[in-house]
Amino acid sequence: MNVERRKFDALIIGAGGGGLRAALQLARADAQVAVVSKVFPTRSHTVAAQGGVNAALANVLPDNWHWHMFDTVKGSDYLGDQDAIEYMCRAAPKAVYELEHAGVPFSRLENGRIYQRAFGGQSQDFGGEQAARTCAAADRTGHAILHTLYQQNIRARTHFFDEYFAIDLIRDREGYVLGALVMSIESGECLLIEAKATLIATGGAGQLFRTCTNALINTGDGIAMAMRAGVPAQDMEFFQFHPTGIAGKGMLITEGARGEGGYLINREGERFMERYAPHARDLASRDVVARAIATEVREGRGCGPEGDHVLLKVDHLGEEVVAKRLPGIRELALTFLHIDPAKEPIPVYPTAHYTMGGIPTNRFGQVVAPVRHGPEEPVPGLYAAGECACVSVHGANRLGGNSLLDIIVFGRAAARHIVGFLQENRYHRPLERESVERALEHRARWDRKGKGEPVAEIRRELRKVMEEHCGVFRDQQVLSEGLDKVKALAERLQEAVISDHSRIFNTARVEAMETENLMDLALATVTSALARTESRGAHSRIDFPERDDENWMKHTLCFADGRLDYKPVRTRPLTVDPFPPKPRVY
Ligand SMILES: Cc1cc2nc3c(=O)[nH]c(=O)nc-3n(C[C@H](O)[C@H](O)[C@H](O)COP(=O)(O)OP(=O)(O)OC[C@H]3O[C@@H](n4cnc5c(N)ncnc54)[C@H](O)[C@@H]3O)c2cc1C
């Protein structure tokens, strides 16, 4: 076992908002923290978040956390765990003020308070009038948050391993997680980072789909790593398609554009959302708007020569509002479409956006998994937070602005729990040779030479299959075909190689390992989607159009070998009465 080793109290895999919020908490508690990121930290996907972060501050309209909780439970189509949702909504104002005090330059109201905009699925008074709950820094909120957190971490002396790729977790025979094997992307050298506690914060897996809003790096590595370490992936059938991606390209046009007064029209110029959601219209929940757009196009009311998209109008808002509140959107539309949204409507179509499923955790960020087919228990030394985790606060459908909140609240909560764990576990546990060797073998797979098809081709096909067979609308036949195709691709990947030429910079090696991770997640996603014979939130089965609370108020767990298990939704909040399932109308 000839690998360089480093020891830290805590290892954080991922330097997005979730990882950096946790790192800051730990570094300030005087823990030795290592943060590993495959890209420079401020290039993490959090940087791209546009619209904002939800907290019931009541700066613009009346609000309170309990209304926020109601909206989140309803938005989740009752699949969210209500204890975790209560915790998050109560913690939201504090989490946002902490960001403000750390230096996040939020947009301001005339009176100096934080600006808050309207977003989809938000209401006052348990389903009443539209609320204004989303705190924004123009349409670059994630950028502001990520840069602030990074700077504060530098100040707190967090140790960064930039451009290191985490390959696999190290888990011993007793089930403890003892760190991870990582690789310097520049040199290809492996490094073993030993830690008393490991937090996975590797973000989502939008790269599963051909058209998506996610960065190239969002390949769900952490979820796949956890699966290889014996932890199932939870609720993978729930993948959010954002209603307004730039048509044919996928880049995101924030819901904030509709929050500021923008609306959707079809080829007849009709504001069609009035038919699908008479009350909330363009600000209905994302799954509702995405299905409405897909239906308009399918029924022949799409725009453009191919009739394959609808239009988002913001030009009636005036140059000044567009320049002040939506400058990034204007830039995106100018760059990718040569359209100025202050003058012309933007062609949009649903695009893969957010991974609701992920690594099962409790509200303390501890990863929980069934032990030997028995009830679930925390995996000692392993935590997860952010988009890779499934707490589950988003259930079957996430509300806009709740993800930046999720990463901040649960990044912090996980770190606080780790501080306690470190007090009880003062020493590093001895490392077993075989658990490290398993990880080394995993990496060595891509050293093999010979002829075989290129990995990049398989990745391209995988993303196409997922888009065609596991998109906005699904049914038994389309999903079964999809599963067969993914399995065939998985077999081809076993034989694939990376060329000597691309080996030089290790990027091909990274791409190969990412593709393996995507493959595992694709299998879990299609398998879980095929099994769930109901429609709930983002999972719409044409053959089972109704929600079935009697049989399906439960979370899916999919193991690495494709085996499925289920666990009940936690319907009991911490202090208030539960919100029982109701028909979901907007
Ligand atoms: C375009 C866009 C706009 C959005 N807008 C909003 C919004 O307005 N409001 C909102 O609430 N949410 C929004 N979201 C969602 C939200 O931004 C994300 O869910 C959230 O930022 C994810 O944060 P994270 O810390 O979990 O992961 P990320 O920010 O994705 O960071 C993941 C980190 O993990 C690292 N990593 C991954 N794999 C490995 C590996 N194998 N080895 C080493 N490092 C690894 C990466 O380098 C990166 O540092 C948006 C998302 C997108 C894509």
Side-chain angles (χ1 to χ4, degrees):
M1 194 167 68
N2 217 353
V3 197
E4 196 197 333
R5 292 189 189 189
R6 297 284 300 270
K7 283 189 178 178
F8 290 87
D9 292 327
L11 165 63
I12 294 177
I13 308 175
L20 291 188
R21 182 63 190 84
L24 188 58
Q25 192 80 18
L26 283 161
R28 283 181 177 165
D30 289 330
Q32 291 264 334
V33 194
V35 175
V36 173
S37 173
K38 63 179 171 178
V39 292
F40 189 78
T42 52
R43 300 181 70 106
S44 304
H45 189 60
T46 299
V47 82
Q50 301 171 352
V53 47
N54 292 341
L57 305 182
N59 287 353
V60 174
L61 292 170
D63 209 356
N64 74 53
W65 69 264
H66 203 187
W67 301 349
H68 183 185
M69 177 182 172
F70 169 81
D71 290 340
T72 306
V73 173
K74 177 179 171 187
S76 82
D77 220 348
Y78 300 91
L79 193 76
D81 288 328
Q82 297 196 20
D83 56 343
I85 295 176
E86 176 178 345
Y87 177 81
M88 179 178 82
C89 297
R90 271 177 179 275
K94 185 155 191 264
V96 167
Y97 291 136
E98 280 175 358
L99 288 178
E100 182 188 35
H101 297 165
V104 173
F106 283 109
S107 298
R108 298 283 160 180
L109 296 163
E110 288 288 318
N111 63 11
R113 289 175 188 265
I114 293 175
Y115 169 71
Q116 296 190 280
R117 59 164 54 112
F119 241 56
Q122 297 179 348
S123 73
Q124 301 179 45
D125 207 11
F126 309 108
E129 292 305 303
Q130 175 71 41
R133 189 175 293 144
T134 306
C135 310
D139 57 0
R140 300 180 177 127
T141 314
H143 185 276
I145 292 176
L146 193 64
H147 279 257
T148 303
L149 287 175
Y150 180 61
Q151 288 161 9
Q152 293 290 356
N153 268 287
I154 295 292
R155 184 191 202 179
R157 299 190 185 282
T158 298
H159 192 106
F160 282 95
F161 289 91
D162 296 339
E163 300 189 353
Y164 275 72
F165 183 85
I167 297 173
D168 248 333
L169 298 169
I170 307 295
R171 193 172 182 193
D172 71 11
R173 251 172 300 180
E174 283 171 60
Y176 279 79
V177 171
L178 309 178
L181 182 73
V182 307
M183 178 186 87
S184 154
I185 298 177
E186 187 187 7
S187 70
E189 296 289 318
C190 280
L191 171 68
L192 187 58
I193 301 185
E194 285 184 62
K196 298 167 199 164
T198 302
L199 171 78
I200 308 177
T202 48
Q207 287 295 321
L208 275 172
F209 298 89
R210 185 171 55 172
T211 313
C212 73
T213 63
N214 281 204
L216 279 172
I217 53 173
N218 292 351
T219 50
D221 301 346
I223 307 172
M225 262 186 268
M227 287 178 84
R228 284 195 293 272
V231 177
Q234 182 174 322
D235 292 344
M236 290 304 288
E237 65 271 42
F238 298 102
F239 204 97
Q240 179 165 78
F241 295 87
H242 194 291
T244 57
I246 291 185
K249 300 193 166 70
M251 294 84 164
L252 178 74
I253 302 294
T254 174
E255 193 166 289
R258 282 169 285 136
E260 297 292 341
Y263 58 83
L264 296 161
I265 52 173
N266 61 17
R267 76 179 312 146
E268 280 130 36
E270 181 205 7
R271 284 191 70 170
F272 58 86
M273 279 314 299
E274 289 176 352
R275 272 189 280 121
Y276 296 88
H279 185 66
R281 294 186 294 188
D282 297 88
L283 284 178
S285 209
R286 285 186 179 168
D287 55 330
V288 176
V289 184
R291 273 193 296 274
I293 296 175
T295 306
E296 287 300 295
V297 166
R298 220 172 40 178
E299 293 180 356
R301 291 185 294 277
C303 307
E306 313 283 331
D308 58 358
H309 60 263
V310 298
L311 295 173
L312 172 64
K313 261 176 78 65
V314 292
D315 49 307
H316 59 289
L317 299 176
E319 292 248 354
E320 203 186 322
V321 172
V322 174
K324 187 165 165 208
R325 299 286 187 217
L326 304 164
I329 290 315
R330 183 180 216 174
E331 230 171 80
L332 268 178
L334 280 168
T335 310
F336 292 105
L337 296 166
H338 307 295
I339 280 179
D340 181 353
K343 302 200 174 100
E344 279 177 80
I346 314 171
V348 293
Y349 193 73
T351 173
H353 184 54
Y354 184 85
T355 316
M356 260 87 67
I359 306 165
T361 67
N362 58 23
R363 74 190 144 87
F364 308 107
Q366 293 177 288
V367 173
V368 289
V371 179
R372 287 182 204 88
H373 302 274
E376 63 177 21
E377 281 176 23
V379 177
L382 187 61
Y383 293 77
E387 192 169 334
C388 67
C390 187
V391 182
S392 136
V393 283
H394 310 302
N397 170 64
R398 169 179 77 95
L399 293 187
N402 263 358
S403 173
L404 287 178
L405 179 61
D406 167 4
I407 66 178
I408 298 301
V409 166
F410 292 104
R412 180 176 181 274
R416 280 161 56 116
H417 200 277
I418 291 174
V419 170
F421 182 84
L422 292 176
Q423 276 161 2
E424 285 163 22
N425 296 270
R426 293 187 174 272
Y427 304 103
H428 288 269
R429 289 171 65 87
L431 210 61
E432 294 156 1
R433 202 187 161 89
E434 63 193 72
S435 48
V436 181
E437 266 163 13
R438 215 176 307 131
L440 282 167
E441 271 166 29
H442 183 73
R443 172 185 179 281
R445 263 198 59 184
W446 295 103
D447 288 335
R448 70 181 168 217
K449 304 215 168 156
K451 287 204 170 43
E453 69 180 313
V455 173
E457 173 58 25
I458 297 177
R459 181 159 166 170
R460 202 182 58 74
E461 278 186 46
L462 176 67
R463 299 179 61 199
K464 185 159 171 282
V465 168
M466 287 300 286
E467 183 157 300
E468 286 169 1
H469 291 272
C470 210
V472 176
F473 287 110
R474 304 158 172 190
D475 69 24
Q476 153 89 28
Q477 194 194 342
V478 170
L479 284 166
S480 314
E481 280 168 22
L483 185 58
D484 290 343
K485 288 184 180 174
V486 176
K487 282 183 175 162
L489 286 168
E491 268 176 36
R492 277 164 57 190
L493 187 62
Q494 296 285 330
E495 304 301 322
V497 293
I498 52 182
S499 71
D500 280 341
H501 173 66
S502 53
R503 213 178 279 270
I504 300 169
F505 298 110
N506 295 307
T507 45
R509 199 190 292 276
V510 167
E511 187 185 37
M513 289 191 279
E514 287 175 345
T515 306
E516 283 181 315
N517 292 336
L518 283 172
M519 195 65 80
D520 292 346
L521 299 192
L523 282 168
T525 304
V526 185
T527 306
S528 308
L530 194 54
R532 186 174 286 267
T533 47
E534 66 156 354
S535 289
R536 183 184 296 270
H539 176 65
S540 301
R541 292 278 302 246
I542 294 171
D543 44 353
F544 296 94
E546 301 299 325
R547 193 177 76 195
D548 175 1
D549 291 330
E550 204 171 308
N551 296 303
W552 286 105
M553 275 285 281
K554 55 189 182 187
H555 297 290
T556 308
L557 300 173
C558 184
F559 293 82
D561 59 6
R563 183 168 59 86
L564 291 177
D565 198 355
Y566 294 92
K567 67 175 186 185
V569 174
R570 290 198 299 271
T571 47
R572 201 173 281 275
L574 299 171
T575 64
V576 291
D577 288 336
F579 292 112
K582 283 196 186 142
R584 201 161 141 261
V585 281
Y586 282 99

